[in-house]
Amino acid sequence: MRFLDFELEEKDLVSVANELIQRTQSGVRSHVLTINALIAYEYIHNEEYCRALHKVNYVVPDGSGVLKAIKLISKRNLERVPGIDLMLKLCELSAEKGLSIFLLGSKETVVTKTTEKLKQRFPLIDIVGYHSGFFTQEENDTIVSKINASSADILFVGMGVPRQELWIAENAERLQAKILMGVGGSFDVVSGNLKRAPLWMQRAGLEWLYRVVREPGKRLKIIPKLFSFETYVIRSYLESRRGGSR
């Protein structure tokens, strides 16, 4: 189905992960976007970000705000595909299929710990390289060359929204990995640097609230953007109702 300008995959987590692995094995490039309310807000209000997201070709719904918007406007119930869960499932399948991974993002200590944790969780995983997300524009070409030299099949970029999507879009044509995916703060969670919301909060769509409570200085500024997106959705819904009543 269509949401904003994106064609959303209507599959569950396992089906999405399996399809992405199959696409990779067939040599098909997948620029993956796990769309949530913050991404949708940036897409609507940030012209540069909007242009960057025009390059994605595989979009799944992540975030309760997006799912509620889809249900309100389209009367459709889609299954959520959380970015961190998709990342972990791809790690599991890549270990089984002999595909390799590069991690880019977060602090050096965090991405290093993430690599260690993933190797403990998936003993056969092939992480061929990693690098922190803190580098200058002058270092960018070196980072791209390092990723390509690793021959990684999958590139996870954990730089946060909107930076990670902007970086992927800027460098996509030069990157050789078959899966390019922004994973937000997933490295912080996998490394143990940040706890994930309890399962009941995840199921209730309150993961965003848990993050605000745990990281108020970093997350409070996001709340106005989330409410702005909700306002956009309600306005769009009312406009569609008026249009349909004529």
Side-chain angles (χ1 to χ4, degrees), residues 15-185:
S15 298
V16 166
N18 277 310
E19 183 171 58
L20 287 170
I21 293 295
Q22 290 168 5
R23 284 163 63 99
T24 300
Q25 292 176 315
S26 300
V28 177
R29 166 72 74 86
S30 302
H31 185 167
V32 183
L33 180 70
T34 58
I35 189 168
N36 57 28
L38 179 58
I39 287 175
Y41 170 88
E42 293 291 345
Y43 181 79
I44 294 165
H45 295 92
N46 184 332
E47 186 175 341
E48 181 185 10
Y49 191 68
C50 178
R51 289 196 302 270
L53 293 195
H54 285 158
K55 297 187 178 183
V56 305
N57 64 356
Y58 198 97
V59 186
V60 295
D62 176 12
S64 59
V66 165
L67 293 177
K68 289 176 182 176
I70 291 169
K71 185 175 182 179
L72 176 66
I73 296 173
S74 304
K75 305 296 187 286
R76 303 280 289 277
N77 287 304
L78 268 62
E79 186 162 340
R80 183 185 174 208
V81 181
I84 185 171
D85 293 334
L86 179 56
M87 171 187 159
L88 291 172
K89 192 63 182 178
L90 287 172
C91 285
E92 177 188 339
L93 294 176
S94 73
E96 296 174 2
K97 302 297 183 181
L99 300 176
S100 56
I101 294 172
F102 194 104
L103 307 177
L104 176 66
S106 200
K107 299 176 182 178
E108 187 72 25
T109 53
V110 172
V111 71
T112 300
K113 190 67 174 179
T114 300
T115 301
E116 294 172 0
K117 291 288 188 179
L118 288 174
K119 288 181 177 179
Q120 292 171 9
R121 185 166 181 171
F122 309 109
L124 297 179
I125 197 170
D126 186 15
I127 298 179
V128 291
Y130 61 88
H131 197 283
S132 81
F134 295 91
F135 52 89
T136 65
Q137 186 61 39
E138 289 72 26
E139 296 173 301
N140 190 73
D141 288 347
T142 301
I143 301 299
V144 172
S145 296
K146 180 178 180 180
I147 295 168
N148 289 338
S150 74
S151 298
D153 298 298
I154 302 171
L155 172 63
F156 293 125
V157 183
M159 296 180 181
V161 176
R163 186 184 170 214
Q164 61 193 19
E165 285 80 28
L166 291 171
W167 187 88
I168 291 173
E170 178 186 347
N171 297 282
E173 293 182 5
R174 295 189 296 155
L175 290 165
Q176 296 169 8
K178 289 297 185 288
I179 294 179
L180 308 174
M181 178 178 164
V183 296

